[in-house]
Amino acid sequence: MTKNKKLIFIRRTLAENATGATWYTNPKETVPPTMYASLNKKQKNKLKVEILILFPRDLLHQPRAIYSRIADYLISQYFIVNTSTRDMFSAGGTVTIRNEKFPKIIDTYRKYKDQIFALLDEHDPSFEDMAYNSWNISKKKDSNFQYDFFSVINRYGRKYFSRNLDAISVPTLSELIF
């Protein structure tokens, strides 16, 4: 069997067993993902705010943030690829708040706090479900989305920044950010 016939056989077999559109079922009709860098500022900000809400565990993780779930989210929800996800939020470094050093992501949360509040107030129910799933907490009948988001922020604040918060006499990370 020639190489070309093998490829056709493999593509046909994969296409017959695929449950949805895939990159390998018809390579002539593939659509490339959108590059994050090509988005306008408004689109980038919208995505940043969504990610700040959905992935505080990943972004606040110390000593380094974890970006794999964020990259998965961008590609699965929007078919967007970002080759420098870290740079979306912090690009490393620190910020000094009341003479105490914090990771730059804290400043990023502060910068987008108005947009975060807006999205916490006005959002699609599926976004809320996605957030609870990402936070790994159960959504209850009487859940308050904003309160639960702050609880998640505060949980990771205690875990990673309790010394910093104590040093500046701020009881919770949400009080520092918002």
Side-chain angles (χ1 to χ4, degrees), residues 36-128:
Y36 179 81
S38 71
L39 301 176
N40 65 42
K41 186 175 181 175
K42 184 177 178 181
Q43 293 168 318
K44 288 177 181 178
N45 287 344
K46 176 189 177 295
L47 291 173
K48 285 179 191 175
V49 170
E50 287 180 12
I51 291 167
L52 288 165
I53 292 171
L54 292 172
F55 302 106
R57 176 181 75 186
D58 308 69
L59 293 168
L60 296 171
H61 187 274
Q62 293 299 304
R64 292 187 191 274
I66 302 167
Y67 298 103
S68 57
R69 292 192 323 147
I70 295 165
D72 289 345
Y73 174 74
L74 288 172
I75 197 74
S76 67
Q77 295 298 311
Y78 295 102
F79 206 47
I80 291 173
V81 172
N82 187 355
T83 58
S84 55
T85 305
R86 180 182 73 109
D87 294 344
M88 285 174 70
F89 301 99
S90 64
T94 59
V95 60
T96 302
I97 302 171
R98 300 185 199 168
N99 295 320
E100 187 68 23
K101 289 191 184 288
F102 287 88
K104 203 164 184 184
I105 187 64
I106 302 302
D107 200 42
T108 304
Y109 270 100
R110 293 173 98 189
K111 177 181 176 183
Y112 289 96
K113 68 183 178 183
D114 292 338
Q115 295 97 316
I116 290 171
F117 277 122
L119 186 54
L120 290 170
D121 288 341
E122 300 282 331
H123 56 273
D124 184 277
S126 65
F127 179 79
E128 186 171 315

Side-chain angles (χ1 to χ4, degrees), residues 1 8 14 23 45 51 71 86 109 119 130 133 154 158:
M1 190 180 283
I8 291 169
L14 290 172
W23 60 268
N45 287 344
I51 291 167
R86 180 182 73 109
Y109 270 100
L119 186 54
M130 195 180 316
N133 185 49
N154 292 334
R158 281 188 305 278

Side-chain angles (χ1 to χ4, degrees), residues 126-138:
S126 65
F127 179 79
E128 186 171 315
D129 293 341
M130 195 180 316
Y132 280 98
N133 185 49
S134 175
W135 301 339
N136 200 26
I137 61 174
S138 298

